[in-house]
Structure formats: structure tokens, C-alpha cells
């Protein structure tokens, strides 16, 4: 019976470790990409409509 309890404890520990790792261990702030580029490349900007003269 104690082997089952030990196995359950190890499984719970691994579950908590995986959840903690995925939630709190990520890229450092300086390496994260911004959500929206302020100076987008010209190819990424929508084309301007033709101007009527």
C-alpha cells in the first residue's frame, strides 16, 4: 500500500513541477517580442488606396 502512496506522491510532485515550470519559467523580459511593432516594415503595412486627382 505504501508503494501506491509513494507513486501517487511522485506523480503529484511531477504534475506541480510541470505546471510551475510552464507558468513561471519563460523568456526574460528583454527577449520577448512586443505585441505590436511601432515601426512596421513597409511590406507589413497595408497599401494606400489610389489617390484621385
Amino acid at each position: 500500500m505504501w508503494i501506491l502512496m509513494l507513486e501517487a506522491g511522485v506523480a503529484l510532485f511531477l504534475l506541480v513541477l510541470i505546471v510551475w515550470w510552464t507558468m513561471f519559467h519563460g523568456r526574460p523580459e528583454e527577449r520577448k517580442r512586443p505585441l505590436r511593432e511601432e515601426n512596421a516594415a513597409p511590406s507589413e503595412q497595408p497599401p494606400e488606396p489610389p489617390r484621385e486627382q
Side-chain angles (χ1 to χ4, degrees):
M1 183 71 177
W2 64 273
I3 293 176
L4 293 175
M5 298 301 278
L6 178 65
E7 184 180 358
V10 170
L12 180 63
F13 173 75
L14 288 175
L15 176 67
V16 170
L17 180 69
I18 290 170
V19 169
W20 175 82
W21 184 269
T22 56
M23 286 180 64
F24 301 114
H25 187 82
R27 288 186 187 178
E29 284 295 322
E30 63 270 4
R31 293 197 59 199
K32 288 184 179 178
R33 291 183 291 174
L35 295 177
R36 183 173 57 117
E37 294 287 334
E38 294 297 325
N39 298 325
S43 62
E44 295 176 1
Q45 294 177 349
E48 293 183 12
R51 295 182 186 173
E52 296 182 22
Q53 296 178 347

